[in-house]
Amino acid sequence: MMPGAQIVNVVSFMPERVVDNTKLALDGEDDNELEKNAFFKGVKERRFASPEYQSSDLGSKALKLLLERTGTKPEALDLILCSCMFSDYFWPGIGPAIQNQVGASQATILNLDTSCSSYLSMLNTARAFIESGLYKTIAIVTVTNFVSRLPEFQKSKKSWVLGDGASATLLVDGKSSLVASYERSHGEHYGLFVFEPDMVDGRFLNYWERGCGPITVNFSPDMVTAIRSNAVELVPDAVSKCLFKAGLSTDDVSLLITHQPNTFLIKEWRDRIGIGEPRVHDTLEYYGNLFQSSIPVTLADAIEKNKVQSGDLLTFGTFSNGGDFVSSMVIRWT
């Protein structure tokens, strides 16, 4: 039998500190047009990780929980794939710290980043390694730990859809769970959505320059309009092409899980894809936008709530940044 990447389990580890959006007070007024935009609405509460947790702590907690639930010894791991926003240091990434903290002495690590699409990119990467025969047991870890580290940005309502959290997924050599995938880069949208230092004394300084401002996102109405236009087209198109590649229709899908950026995009994607309640699951309201942790945390939540059964066909869809990358995947839960 040819090697195949079988997903054994997916778990999440959420920081204990809850931020209740209904009790937050805004210092100053945001731009009225942006404040009313649905891009910044739909979240009742979220979790903050820092300073209680370093990013490596979050990843290690999630991975330890996964190993416990699956009865897997740390020494059995061959590879740990890791995606993180923000790492504990500018450089290096947190992969080696997680490997050491969980005692995965036989594992090598790979830090991977395609932003909000990173989880699906890592599933594809794990599949390639397992099918090649190079590795048999792979853990995928996502860590989102940044909005709690940006006190200046927290004063803006535009940050109130963002949360922190982590996930871990175990894949082994077995009956393949991955049915089809679709990934494309759209480099023409590079730089549309970025984290960068805020303005200081009327000018922008690069992050490597002395005296640069605090990290923020400098939203503008034109920027939001462009991101919305890209996202509403790219994700449904990717899901459609992925289902076609799998020889499936929307009627075959047991559960659709998309990225969780805001209520507007989630609804728009469902309407365009043609899958709605009860074949969807969200965590936006209580966890917020978790970037690369969004899909796996939502999947773990669906599993915990018994919305995923053996044999179910699950479909994922997400985009990255301002639309410079898009990804979709169909898996069969085994």
Side-chain angles (χ1 to χ4, degrees), residues 143-253:
V143 177
T144 309
N145 182 18
F146 71 108
V147 67
S148 59
R149 291 170 161 173
L150 304 178
E152 289 301 313
F153 188 41
Q154 290 168 24
K155 297 175 183 177
S156 167
K157 281 188 177 179
K158 305 179 194 71
S159 76
W160 292 5
V161 292
L162 308 178
D164 296 336
S167 78
T169 302
L170 182 67
L171 295 96
V172 299
D173 178 9
K175 185 176 181 180
S176 181
S177 301
L178 281 63
V179 178
S181 65
Y182 175 90
E183 288 189 327
R184 289 293 183 276
S185 181
H186 294 270
E188 65 271 22
H189 304 313
Y190 172 74
L192 181 58
F193 178 82
V194 297
F195 284 85
E196 61 186 351
D198 206 354
M199 188 178 295
V200 176
D201 296 329
R203 65 192 186 105
F204 290 104
L205 296 173
N206 292 308
Y207 67 88
W208 58 84
E209 294 182 282
R210 183 184 295 275
C212 70
I215 297 295
T216 189
V217 180
N218 292 294
F219 286 105
S220 70
D222 288 344
M223 171 186 175
V224 171
T225 298
I227 294 173
R228 179 174 59 232
S229 177
N230 293 339
V232 297
E233 296 290 340
L234 288 172
V235 173
D237 179 67
V239 170
S240 175
K241 288 176 178 176
C242 189
L243 287 172
F244 179 81
K245 194 174 180 180
L248 301 169
S249 72
T250 54
D251 292 336
D252 299 311
V253 176

Side-chain angles (χ1 to χ4, degrees), residues 14-19 45-49 163-164 286-287:
M14 305 304 294
E16 294 82 3
R17 183 151 59 104
V18 176
V19 177
E45 63 184 41
R46 341 167 245 146
R47 304 296 180 93
F48 273 18
D164 296 336
Y286 296 105
Y287 291 151

